[in-house]
Amino acid sequence: MAGRDGDRPVPAVRKLELQLVTACNLRCTYCANDPDVRDAPPRFMPLEMVERCLDRLRPEIVSLTGGEVALAGDRVLSALELARRYGARPVISSNLTVFRPADLDRLVEVGGVTGFFSSCNDLDDAMTLAVRGGRPAERRRLLENLAHIARRGWPLSVETILLRDTVGRLVELHRLLADLGVRQHRIEFLTPVGHASWGLMPDFEEVADALERLYAQRARDCHLELTCCPITPCSPLAERLFPRDDPGVSAYHCTDGKDLCYVTAGGDMVPCYAFTCRPAPGNVGREDPRRIWEESPVFLRVRREAPPACEGCRIATSRPGVTCTNGCWAMLLMGTGGLTQLCWEFAVAARESALSGAGPGRLPVRRLEEVAGTGAHP
């Protein structure tokens, strides 16, 4: 179903992320969702919209998420049935504090779920309360479910967000997850959108110190993956962040907008869950999802453009798409309205400006025309 982008084919949608419900039982400080949604009545994605996206985009993988996806109730199994009908491999993205182990069994055995994604900034009850607004019972349920999934041998990836107040306990968090049987631990950099702010983000030198300690003490049977990292491999910090001689540590290659897209419960289709503009690049309730994917100026820009300094860089061109292996185009595009500055330079300067009070506390929500660009090839 691939179309063409000028003289090049439009990539197929490998992964489609669907927000089945906006409601969430937690109040995470780092949440990237629209702040207006948190205290508003919950919104559910109609199953007709789920089917429309699956039919027109035909993804290889579909991820059902929220809010907290468990709060979508029976819609979860109905959406899973649709995913299987259209040949997509379903995965669940959940905070795992609402589902019971028996629910997880049913998702796999009846719903055909092939993997789980979750997060853990929950070393103890005090951290769960401070970082996620969660109760001790919710932390216990999370840990119970992580151990249950690990025992069943189902694919499981757990992320920990790098936060200013908890980065010093990163090794302890990693050990907790490894002891529960987690074998894929993602270390995710904060994106200052939604409820999150630059003030929650640690100093990048402090991050490098914490990661070096983690690399030295990581569980040998638990793979580490850096993700959403604005500190690109051309940064002076690269040698400390990206170890060359440890196959147990990798950097996630961001393909958001290139072969992945996200659809909110209200139908807004964006290249990345953390990317926000007003209005959205398209709405699948009013427009053809395939047309948004192939023709939206924002999607085209994300696929085509990169900072001029990246031209010819072997890292930037080693895989399909032209942005850097570990940069955050969403942060750069929201922060500057363009894709010409090096991501790490922007992130360092923007954080320092925010903490000094000279700059905004989080990335701005820009108008669509500010981020759409010309649509011209670089």
Side-chain angles (χ1 to χ4, degrees):
M1 294 182 65
R4 297 199 68 81
D5 169 13
D7 60 354
R8 66 186 86 177
V10 174
V13 178
R14 178 184 60 85
K15 186 174 183 180
L16 171 64
E17 297 181 338
L18 298 177
Q19 184 188 45
L20 286 190
V21 61
T22 57
C24 187
N25 59 305
L26 299 179
R27 303 178 73 86
C28 298
T29 59
Y30 54 81
C31 179
N33 283 337
D34 184 345
D36 294 337
V37 166
R38 178 167 282 180
D39 296 315
R43 189 167 189 175
F44 299 91
M45 178 177 285
L47 289 174
E48 295 81 6
M49 188 178 289
V50 173
E51 184 165 15
R52 179 177 172 83
C53 290
L54 290 166
D55 180 38
R56 296 297 294 140
L57 297 174
R58 298 295 173 129
E60 175 186 335
I61 302 167
V62 61
S63 175
L64 304 182
T65 184
E68 167 45 42
V69 68
L71 300 180
D74 292 340
R75 290 175 179 83
V76 179
L77 284 175
S78 297
L80 289 172
E81 181 181 354
L82 288 171
R84 296 195 310 276
R85 184 186 305 171
Y86 284 93
R89 179 163 61 87
V91 298
I92 291 288
S93 180
S94 165
N95 64 38
L96 293 180
T97 66
V98 177
F99 285 126
R100 300 164 300 173
D103 298 325
L104 302 179
D105 292 344
R106 190 167 181 230
L107 289 175
V108 173
E109 295 163 6
V110 177
V113 167
T114 62
F116 294 88
F117 290 83
S118 192
S119 58
C120 182
N121 280 78
D122 302 86
L123 185 61
D124 51 35
D125 290 346
M127 187 181 290
T128 296
L129 177 62
V131 174
R132 311 190 75 185
R135 299 166 297 173
E138 289 168 318
R139 177 179 179 270
R140 289 195 298 272
R141 176 62 58 81
L142 166 64
L143 302 186
E144 177 187 22
N145 282 331
L146 291 176
H148 180 76
I149 294 170
R151 282 196 302 271
R152 296 297 298 266
W154 299 325
L156 170 65
S157 182
V158 182
E159 69 185 19
T160 294
I161 309 294
L162 291 167
L163 299 172
R164 195 175 184 180
D165 292 340
T166 60
V167 67
R169 307 188 74 182
L170 186 58
V171 172
E172 295 173 82
L173 274 163
H174 175 70
R175 285 291 176 183
L176 170 65
L177 292 174
D179 288 346
L180 290 170
V182 173
R183 296 296 172 256
Q184 177 81 4
H185 187 190
R186 306 182 81 190
I187 309 300
E188 182 166 327
F189 283 70
L190 180 80
T191 304
V193 295
H195 297 273
S197 68
W198 288 108
L200 293 175
M201 183 182 287
D203 175 82
F204 291 116
E205 290 284 352
E206 186 180 9
V207 168
D209 291 341
L211 289 176
E212 286 186 327
R213 290 193 297 271
L214 178 60
Y215 297 157
Q217 301 178 57
R218 75 170 182 86
R220 295 297 110 179
D221 56 354
C222 184
H223 186 88
L224 291 172
E225 183 178 56
L226 289 187
T227 182
C228 298
C229 178
I231 305 301
T232 48
C234 58
S235 158
L237 284 173
E239 290 295 324
R240 301 180 64 194
L241 263 60
F242 310 114
R244 297 176 180 273
D245 56 353
D246 189 346
V249 181
S250 63
Y252 173 68
H253 179 86
C254 175
T255 61
D256 289 17
K258 303 175 184 67
D259 64 10
L260 180 153
C261 63
Y262 179 88
V263 182
T264 70
D268 287 344
M269 182 168 161
V270 291
C272 167
Y273 81 96
F275 176 79
T276 304
C277 66
R278 294 287 185 268
N283 186 286
V284 301
R286 300 186 296 270
E287 305 165 69
D288 179 4
R290 169 57 55 178
R291 184 168 184 176
I292 300 170
W293 175 255
E294 293 185 352
E295 300 181 14
S296 161
V298 174
F299 278 90
L300 293 176
R301 189 175 196 187
V302 169
R303 294 182 197 128
R304 293 170 172 175
E305 294 186 26
C310 296
E311 187 175 351
C313 173
R314 66 175 180 81
I315 298 170
T317 58
S318 60
R319 291 182 59 178
V322 295
T323 56
C324 179
T325 300
N326 211 41
C328 182
W329 65 258
M331 180 183 291
L332 192 59
L333 188 55
M334 285 186 288
T336 70
L339 292 169
T340 58
Q341 190 174 345
L342 288 175
C343 189
W344 72 267
E345 291 180 339
F346 165 75
V348 170
R351 179 184 178 276
E352 292 176 354
S353 178
L355 294 184
S356 71
R362 53 180 52 84
L363 295 169
V365 177
R366 294 185 178 272
R367 298 294 301 171
L368 176 61
E369 57 266 26
E370 291 183 270
V371 296
T374 64
H377 287 275

